């Protein structure tokens, strides 16, 4: 499965003309999720992670794993469409908090990033 998964992820990312990082982030996964799969550092993604990735790559999880050669799979196999960006309430405070967390992580400040994320989640939950 791993070789098929790697190949089909690459095929879909290429077809959609997006980067591994963008596809990973758009799926709600870590920025290096696809890179870790393709390089062999991570070889057992969960069904939920595969479903999220498949939705972003506009295919079925069965296609990614090689269980099906049909990109879209059966009509019921496709994950529900994500809301468009325009439909999602905009939260500039949450965006700023995420940017701060990202900068802290990039600088290797994991504990500070964790604290900033907790504070942001707490603030969002209170509203």
């Amino acid at each position: 499965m791993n070789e098929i998964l790697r190949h089909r992820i690459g095929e879909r990312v290429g077809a959609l003309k997006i980067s591994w990082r963008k596809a990973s982030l758009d799926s709600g996964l870590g920025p290096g999720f696809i890179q870790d799969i393709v390089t062999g550092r991570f070889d057992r993604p969960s069904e939920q992670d595969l479903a999220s990735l498949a939705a972003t790559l506009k295919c079925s999880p069965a296609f990614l794993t090689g269980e099906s050669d049909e990109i879209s799979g059966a009509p019921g196999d496709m994950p529900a469409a994500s809301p468009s960006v325009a439909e999602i309430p905009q939260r500039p405070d949450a965006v700023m908090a995420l940017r701060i967390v990202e900068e802290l992580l990039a600088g290797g400040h994991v504990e500070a990033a964790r604290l900033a994320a907790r504070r942001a989640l707490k603030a969002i939950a209170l509203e």
Side-chain angles (χ1 to χ4, degrees):
M1 173 182 95
N2 295 333
E3 192 58 40
I4 292 171
L5 179 63
R6 289 181 192 123
H7 173 75
R8 291 199 170 173
I9 288 173
E11 180 181 309
R12 296 303 302 149
V13 167
L16 296 170
K17 298 180 181 171
I18 57 176
S19 69
W20 290 351
R21 179 180 171 84
K22 178 166 177 37
S24 294
L25 291 172
D26 287 355
S27 300
L29 306 166
F33 182 79
I34 290 175
Q35 180 177 352
D36 289 346
I37 289 174
V38 172
T39 60
R41 279 184 258 164
F42 180 64
D43 62 350
R44 295 276 180 219
S46 70
E47 286 184 26
Q48 183 177 355
D49 290 347
L50 278 175
S52 295
L53 185 59
T56 298
L57 297 179
K58 298 181 173 49
C59 64
S60 69
F63 175 77
L64 289 178
T65 60
E67 296 171 29
S68 170
D69 289 333
E70 296 295 321
I71 290 177
S72 63
D77 289 349
M78 289 301 290
S82 300
S84 72
V85 173
E87 296 170 352
I88 299 172
Q90 299 301 304
R91 295 289 311 257
D93 56 331
V95 171
M96 182 56 70
L98 287 172
R99 286 186 178 146
I100 291 168
V101 169
E102 182 179 35
E103 287 178 21
L104 288 168
L105 288 172
H109 306 288
V110 177
E111 286 304 315
R114 207 174 268 143
L115 180 62
R118 284 187 189 131
R119 286 182 181 163
L121 288 171
K122 188 175 182 181
I124 290 168
L126 292 176
E127 292 181 8

